[in-house]
């Protein structure tokens, strides 16, 4: 399966600051990456689909100006949480898929805590 | 109706027993089905994929798919305490583009 590296694994930031999370596909070129958010004891919620060389596709209810996604290369997508607030504290996970009907492989996840 | 439904549990089984996890989906045109295991504080890891009706076995795990009933299940034989985790069902729906739709997960507890 695909190897996906996500960094950092955890971050604590002050309210009002911005945090950047990186997702790297290490062993294949990913034209599409997916960003999820997971609150405690809840399932994965897709936030957006990151498309290499074009704008990300955001799910309904996700603020595109708050969660900035950049997919500048075939191996790297970044998610920036701008002006973070305590309610943004969550587990953020990226994933890649090698094909339309194939499984998704996940990064290690980033635990964001906004204080 | 949710697109992918699972009983949240917890489902408790004794060590050595068979654990049966169930998932139903609403999009009849769904094509691909996956089971993921997620330990607390970790990201999901793939256990099984299944694409056609019937059973698919991999070690202690068996996935079962019934497209007519829109039902997919995961059986875990000889359950071990290390199997205690949340199991997520994921479906590639016909209308969902390239993304997977996840159920809310079933928490499994394997007791000594």
């Amino acid at each position: 399966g695909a190897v996906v590296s996500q960094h950092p694994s955890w971050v604590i930031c002050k309210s009002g600051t911005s945090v950047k999370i990186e997702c790297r596909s290490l062993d294949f070129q990913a034209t599409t990456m997916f960003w999820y958010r997971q609150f405690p004891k809840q399932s994965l919620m897709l936030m957006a689909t990151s498309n290499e060389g074009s704008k990300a596709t955001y799910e309904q209810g996700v603020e595109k100006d708050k969660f900035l996604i950049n997919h500048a290369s075939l191996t790297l997508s970044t998610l920036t949480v701008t002006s973070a607030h305590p309610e943004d504290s969550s587990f953020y996970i990226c994933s890649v898929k090698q094909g339309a009907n194939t499984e998704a492989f996940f990064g290690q996840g980033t635990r964001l805590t906004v204080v | 109706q949710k697109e992918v439904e699972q009983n949240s549990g917890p489902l408790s089984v004794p060590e050595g027993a068979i654990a049966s996890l169930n998932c139903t989906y609403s999009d009849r045109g769904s094509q691909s089905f996956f089971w993921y295991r997620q330990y607390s504080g970790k990201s999901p890891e793939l256990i099984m994929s299944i694409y056609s009706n019937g059973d698919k076995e991999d070690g202690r795990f068996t996935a079962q798919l019934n497209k007519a009933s829109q039902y997919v299940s995961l059986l875990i034989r000889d359950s071990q305490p290390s199997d205690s985790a949340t199991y997520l069902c994921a479906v590639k729906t016909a209308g969902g583009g390239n993304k997977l739709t996840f159920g809310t997960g079933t928490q499994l507890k394997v007791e000594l």
Side-chain angles (χ1 to χ4, degrees):
Chain A
V3 179
V4 184
S5 176
Q6 191 172 337
H7 177 82
S9 57
W10 61 270
V11 58
I12 301 173
C13 71
K14 291 184 177 180
S15 185
T17 61
S18 295
V19 174
K20 180 185 284 188
I21 302 170
E22 293 186 349
C23 179
R24 294 182 184 273
S25 175
L26 299 183
D27 58 352
F28 87 103
Q29 296 180 328
T31 56
T32 304
M33 295 186 182
F34 303 88
W35 286 97
Y36 293 85
R37 178 169 55 182
Q38 186 176 37
F39 292 107
K41 299 191 184 301
Q42 295 187 25
S43 189
L44 299 171
M45 295 301 298
L46 181 65
M47 299 176 67
T49 302
S50 172
N51 304 299
E52 188 268 337
S54 65
K55 292 182 180 180
T57 304
Y58 290 81
E59 295 299 302
Q60 190 173 11
V62 178
E63 298 175 60
K64 59 183 65 176
D65 294 332
K66 180 171 182 63
F67 298 99
L68 301 179
I69 291 174
N70 185 287
H71 194 153
S73 78
L74 289 171
T75 58
L76 174 64
S77 174
T78 60
L79 168 67
T80 301
V81 183
T82 63
S83 186
H85 291 284
E87 57 265 31
D88 298 322
S89 298
S90 187
F91 191 45
Y92 292 86
I93 318 172
C94 70
S95 78
V96 302
K97 294 171 86 261
Q98 293 176 295
N101 290 312
T102 63
E103 58 272 25
F105 294 95
F106 291 88
Q108 304 94 318
T110 299
R111 176 75 57 191
L112 170 63
T113 302
V114 184
V115 297
Chain B
Q1 181 186 9
K2 293 182 180 178
E3 290 186 83
V4 181
E5 294 205 55
Q6 294 180 258
N7 188 320
S8 62
L11 171 66
S12 294
V13 299
E15 184 178 5
I18 296 175
S20 178
L21 304 161
N22 304 316
C23 172
T24 59
Y25 59 94
S26 61
D27 186 340
R28 185 169 290 278
S30 298
Q31 303 162 339
S32 312
F33 309 85
F34 308 94
W35 282 100
Y36 287 85
R37 176 176 62 199
Q38 186 177 25
Y39 292 112
S40 180
K42 302 294 185 182
S43 64
E45 54 181 327
L46 180 71
I47 295 179
M48 295 279 286
S49 60
I50 187 166
Y51 301 93
S52 54
N53 281 326
D55 295 359
K56 179 181 178 182
E57 186 176 317
D58 184 0
R60 294 187 297 113
F61 300 98
T62 299
Q64 299 175 318
L65 174 61
N66 185 325
K67 289 186 178 180
S69 299
Q70 295 174 234
Y71 175 95
V72 57
S73 66
L74 179 70
L75 300 178
I76 306 174
R77 289 181 298 282
D78 188 24
S79 295
Q80 302 296 310
S82 58
D83 294 327
S84 298
T86 296
Y87 289 80
L88 300 168
C89 172
V91 178
K92 164 70 171 62
T93 61
N98 195 22
K99 64 185 180 184
L100 294 181
T101 301
F102 284 84
T104 53
T106 298
Q107 184 184 6
L108 173 65
K109 294 184 177 180
V110 180
E111 300 169 332
L112 294 171

